[in-house]
Structure formats: C-alpha cells, structure tokens
C-alpha cells in the first residue's frame, strides 16, 4: 500500500510557511508499514485541488488531505475530493448541530458559511475533532473504472492546524487504518559515523545492504556525520528485527570502530558514556570555537559528572593566564600552532584536575590570523588531547565558512576523545 499526502493551503506556496503536517503523517504512516510515495502542496484553488486529487487517486492507495476544511471561501478540500472521486457531499445534521452549539456557547450567531463544514463525502465516517470545528472524514471505498479493474482507495480529510490534525490522526485514524491494513511490524536501527565522506561509507556498505532488498536503507549526511537508517516491515516483529539485526551486524563488522553509535545516540552522548565507563573526567580550553564544544557536552543531561568545564581562551593573554600557556610559546609559534595546542590541553588539564584536557585553537576566518599566524590558511585548526601520561596533537584543515569550521572543529575534537577511549 502506498500513500500520497496533499497539503492544501496557498500560504505553503509562499516563502513564509512550510508544510510540516506531512512530516508528522509520514512518520505515523511508516509506523503502520505504509510508504509515502508522493507529497503534493496545492494552493486554495478548486481546479488545482481537484487536479491534484485526481492524480493522487490514480497513483496511490491511500490519499490524505491536510487543511482546507475551514468555513471560508478558500476552504475547498471537501468539494475537490468529491469531484475527484465522482461522488456527492451530504450535509450531516449531527455536525450541523454541533456547530450550532459551538456558536451558541460563545453567544454569537453562526455565519451561514459555516454550514459547509457539515458537508461529508457520501459513505465517509466522521471522526470528531475535539480541538476544532472541522471533523475528520475517513472514506474506505472502491473506485470502479470502465476499462480497468476496480480499486480500493482510502481517502482521509484532516484539518490543517497541527494541534487538531495530530491528535485526530493518532487517536482515531491510526486504529481505523491498522484494522484495515494487513498486519505489518516494523523494526528500525540507526548506525552513526563521524567525519567519513558519504561516498566512502556508501562504497563500503552498499555491497552488503544491496543483499537485503527487503530492508529499506537510507544514508543521511550532514554536519560531519553520516547516518545509516534501516527499516524492515514484516508480518511479525521477530522476522523484521532479525533482518535488521543481521544487516546492521554485517555493516558494523565492515565499518568497525568508525561507527560511534548503533542505537541513535549522538557523538556527545557516546563521549560522555565512555568517560563514565572509564570513570574519567574532561576539561576543555577553547579558542576559535568559543565554547561550542562545552555547549554541546553540557547540553546532555547528567554531563556534569564527567565534564568539569574549562575556559574560553580567545585572547593570547588568557591562554597564558587561564591555561598556563607560556607567553613566549604563543609569541614564537602563534596561537594557532602545534606547541600552543599541546600546552593548552596540558594546562587546562592540570589547572582543573581533570583526567583529560582537550584544546581547540584555529583560524575560523574569514579574516586571517595576526602576528605569526598571518600567513596561516583559514581552516587550519589544532586539537590537543592531554592525559596524565601523554599528549596527542592533531592538525586539521577544515574547508568552508566560519560556522562550518567552528562546528567541524568540535566534531573532530569529540571524535578524537572518543577514539582515545576505545
Ligand atoms: P481552519 O480554516 O478551520 O483553521 P483548515 O482545516 O481549513 O482549518 P487551514 O485553513 O488550511 O486548515 O489551515 C489552518 C492553519 O493550520 C494554517 O494557518 C497553518 O498555520 C496550519 N496549517 C495548515 N496546513 C498545514 C501544514 N500542512 N503544515 C503545517 N501547518 C499547517
Ligand atoms: Mg487553508
């Protein structure tokens, strides 16, 4: 069974509003084992809506409409769905009465326009909307054609406001849909890797996942991270889980310690988890990232047990006074240098009493460095990681703008800490 979502509303064809209902609906449908094959956004225009509805009915088994169920001239979803299905609308007395009561309760006369909210696709089930005036309509029907086979179609009209659509769908539509669809159980897994090119991940993993056509594999790349999502739908949960586990097991063996998480945890989560397992603490001295690494770590609840804190040492003077970097080291080599990264990591470790000290110093651009750093390229970043026994320094060349260089520097720092704890 495949679905199409039609989001009705001219506002979503402007640069100001986005269709977010379809994201919610897609996830809920996937959980029922239904794949969303098409999404359409249409303005409040009867001809356009009817055309979109006709196309959707020809190519999808389940067609969901969001919005356009209000009382105004531009709320046309009911009319368009009826035209595309070639059926009539009936005016429902119970809805009409409920509408009248809503207005009476607010002591205002009901405008005649509102009556059209009681128009229901003939044959549809009406699902009460606790949070608004437009009820949901659910039609499970058969479309007969003169030249082809007759086809089952499920058509669902949902109100546009997310606060109305979501509870209606979760509480009333999901039970109806799951009762009328073949039982399907979903198993999902997610593997995450940092700082590896997407093409490398795909080259190494596609020979494996291509052997599992019944498991949907998606590669998502972004912000120094690659995610592999696996989804299997089967008549039993055990079957679905077994397929996903077998595939993820083989991919874990191939990518080995490049994988930092296999159940959806973030890189920050994993770093803190591994510090906890080894009973270690961490402190940070950040220059070009201005506290971004500390922010990412402290965003995780409970991080205070393993992340002690640190210092933002943006100026040369604070590198010396806060983290004990010898002033002549900065003057000779420049703040963005191997010796300074090393001294910063060691200095913050000793001053805070942490087991590990991490330092980040770099040129985020777009303006070049000063003094001894004037000739160094933008994107040059040094990381230092100091422990009681040794200090490791890493030189990075990060491409992109200031925002990207700063974020990737923290991503590399987290990955450096993670790998040191393996
Ligand atoms: P009513 O007109 O009674 O409020 P409706 O069912 O006609 O309900 P719309 O008029 O289309 O719904 O939308 C009402 C509001 O809901 C919009 O202003 C918008 O803020 C929000 N909305 C509508 N469609 C979507 C969507 N696809 N995604 C996110 N928000 C939406
Ligand atoms: Mg609208």
């Amino acid at each position: 069974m495949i679905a199409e979502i039609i989001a009705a509303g001219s506002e979503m064809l402007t640069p100001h509003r986005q269709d977010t209902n379809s994201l919610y609906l897609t996830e809920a449908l996937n959980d029922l084992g239904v794949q969303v094959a098409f999404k359409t956004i249409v303005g409040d225009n009867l001809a356009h809506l009817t055309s979109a509805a006709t196309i959707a009915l020809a190519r999808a088994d389940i067609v969901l409409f969001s919005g356009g169920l209000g009382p105004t001239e531009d709320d046309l979803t009911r009319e368009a769905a009826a035209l595309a299905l070639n059926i009539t609308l009936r005016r429902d007395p119970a809805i009409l009465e409920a509408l009248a009561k809503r207005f009476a309760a607010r002591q205002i006369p009901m405008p005649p326009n509102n009556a059209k909210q009681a128009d229901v696709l003939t044959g549809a089930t009406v699902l009460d909307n606790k949070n608004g005036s437009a009820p949901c309509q659910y039609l499970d029907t058969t479309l007969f054609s003169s030249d082809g086979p007759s086809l089952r179609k499920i058509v669902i009209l949902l109100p546009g406001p997310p606060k109305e659509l979501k509870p209606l769908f979760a509480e009333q539509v999901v039970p109806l849909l799951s009762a009328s669809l073949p039982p399907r159980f979903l198993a999902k897994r997610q593997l995450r890797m940092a700082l590896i090119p997407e093409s490398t991940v795909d080259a190494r993993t596609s020979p494996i996942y291509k052997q599992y056509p019944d498991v949907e594999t998606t590669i998502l790349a972004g912000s120094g991270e690659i995610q592999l999502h696996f989804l299997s739908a089967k008549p039993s949960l055990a079957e679905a889980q077994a397929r996903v586990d077998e595939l993820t097991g083989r991919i874990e063996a191939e990518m080995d310690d490049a994988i930092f998480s296999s159940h959806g945890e973030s890189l920050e989560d994993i770093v803190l988890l591994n510090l906890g397992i080894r009973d270690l603490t961490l402190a940070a001295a950040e220059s070009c990232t201005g506290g971004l690494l500390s922010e990412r770590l402290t965003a995780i609840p409970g991080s205070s047990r393993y992340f002690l804190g640190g210092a933002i040492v943006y100026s040369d003077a604070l590198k010396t006074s806060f983290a004990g970097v010898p002033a002549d080291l900065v003057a000779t080599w420049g703040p963005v240098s191997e010796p300074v990264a090393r001294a910063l990591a060691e200095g913050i470790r000793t001053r805070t009493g942490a087991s590990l000290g991490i330092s980040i110093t770099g040129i985020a651009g777009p303006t070049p460095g000063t003094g001894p750093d004037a000739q160094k390229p933008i994107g040059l970043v040094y990381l230092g990681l100091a422990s009681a026994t040794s200090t490791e320094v890493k030189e990075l060349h990060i491409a992109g703008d200031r925002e990207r260089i700063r974020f990737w520097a923290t991503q590399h720092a987290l990955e450096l800490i993670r790998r040191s704890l393996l």
Side-chain angles (χ1 to χ4, degrees):
M1 291 274 230
I2 60 165
E4 174 155 354
I5 299 169
I6 300 178
S10 298
E11 71 276 15
M12 288 172 294
L13 294 174
T14 70
H16 312 298
R17 287 279 181 282
Q18 278 201 329
D19 158 37
T20 54
N21 283 341
S22 70
L23 305 180
Y24 170 81
L25 292 173
T26 301
E27 183 166 24
L29 288 163
N30 289 165
D31 285 344
L32 291 165
V34 176
Q35 190 205 341
V36 174
F38 306 95
K39 297 205 284 187
T40 305
I41 298 174
V42 198
D44 300 307
N45 172 298
L46 186 61
H48 297 169
L49 263 171
T50 309
S51 150
T54 307
I55 293 167
L57 283 166
R59 63 187 181 185
D61 308 295
I62 304 174
V63 181
L64 302 105
F65 293 84
S66 140
L69 297 183
T72 60
E73 289 294 317
D74 61 4
D75 290 305
L76 297 159
T77 299
R78 287 169 293 255
E79 291 84 342
L83 282 170
L85 284 158
N86 197 21
I87 60 173
T88 53
L89 291 166
R90 62 176 183 87
R91 193 146 285 186
D92 186 286
I95 303 176
L96 214 47
E97 202 187 311
L99 283 170
K101 272 195 193 147
R102 274 178 83 92
F103 281 94
R106 286 185 279 165
Q107 296 187 320
I108 40 175
M110 183 171 100
N113 271 352
N114 277 75
K116 75 179 204 169
Q117 287 197 287
D119 288 349
V120 175
L121 297 170
T122 301
T125 305
V126 175
L127 306 175
D128 189 35
N129 178 356
K130 284 187 302 210
N131 305 301
S133 57
C136 167
Q137 304 188 23
Y138 183 101
L139 178 67
D140 192 340
T141 188
T142 306
L143 286 191
F144 300 97
S145 74
S146 49
D147 46 352
S150 53
L151 296 166
R152 181 184 180 195
K153 300 285 170 185
I154 296 176
V155 178
I156 306 168
L157 313 189
L158 291 153
K163 279 192 185 126
E164 300 178 27
L165 176 137
K166 290 181 188 180
L168 250 169
F169 194 81
E171 290 160 25
Q172 301 189 68
V173 178
V174 167
L176 282 179
L177 272 180
S178 54
S180 55
L181 299 176
R184 299 237 291 168
F185 292 86
L186 294 191
K188 294 181 197 172
R189 278 287 288 278
Q190 201 192 102
L191 297 178
R192 297 170 74 164
M193 284 157 265
L195 304 162
I196 305 182
E198 184 181 7
S199 51
T200 308
V201 174
D202 196 50
R204 286 173 60 183
T205 60
S206 65
I208 305 170
Y209 69 69
K210 280 193 179 136
Q211 295 169 34
Y212 296 75
D214 56 331
V215 180
E216 197 183 306
T217 300
T218 314
I219 302 191
L220 294 176
S223 297
E225 181 180 327
I226 306 286
Q227 301 183 358
L228 284 173
H229 291 245
F230 306 100
L231 175 74
S232 163
K234 297 279 175 192
S236 84
L237 185 59
E239 256 178 282
Q241 197 66 58
R243 286 299 279 171
V244 165
D245 288 348
E246 188 187 308
L247 173 55
T248 43
R250 290 185 58 188
I251 295 210
E252 280 176 304
E254 168 61 31
M255 299 308 293
D256 197 28
D257 60 13
I259 294 170
F260 67 77
S261 122
S262 51
H263 287 94
E265 306 91 336
S266 69
L267 189 53
E268 299 86 305
D269 284 326
I270 293 297
V271 164
L272 289 164
L273 190 82
N274 283 307
L275 288 170
I277 290 171
R278 283 157 191 77
D279 205 20
L280 298 173
T281 54
L282 175 74
E286 299 187 58
S287 183
C288 65
T289 49
L292 188 57
L293 175 67
S294 305
E295 149 59 21
R296 289 183 64 186
L297 287 165
T298 53
I300 310 294
S303 52
S304 62
R305 267 182 288 167
Y306 314 111
F307 181 63
L308 302 185
I312 300 170
V313 287
Y314 209 35
S315 72
D316 293 356
L318 287 197
K319 288 181 179 67
T320 300
S321 59
F322 280 16
V325 178
D328 64 324
L329 217 57
V330 184
T332 311
W333 299 98
V336 182
S337 61
E338 203 262 8
V340 169
R342 179 180 299 276
L344 261 183
E346 290 170 355
I348 202 67
R349 191 188 89 82
T350 0
R351 293 220 169 169
T352 57
S355 335
L356 300 173
I358 179 87
S359 68
I360 307 178
T361 177
I363 303 169
T367 43
T370 53
D373 286 350
Q375 300 307 317
K376 295 177 188 171
I378 287 163
L380 174 69
V381 175
Y382 288 94
L383 304 178
L385 180 62
S387 71
T389 51
S390 65
T391 302
E392 182 183 353
V393 177
K394 210 170 169 177
E395 180 182 315
L396 308 169
H397 294 267
I398 304 173
D401 61 10
R402 187 174 176 84
E403 191 188 340
R404 187 174 186 277
I405 292 168
R406 282 156 47 93
F407 185 82
W408 279 64
T410 65
Q411 192 74 353
H412 277 280
L414 289 169
E415 182 66 356
L416 180 67
I417 303 166
R418 181 186 78 87
R419 286 187 177 268
S420 80
L421 298 173
L422 285 176

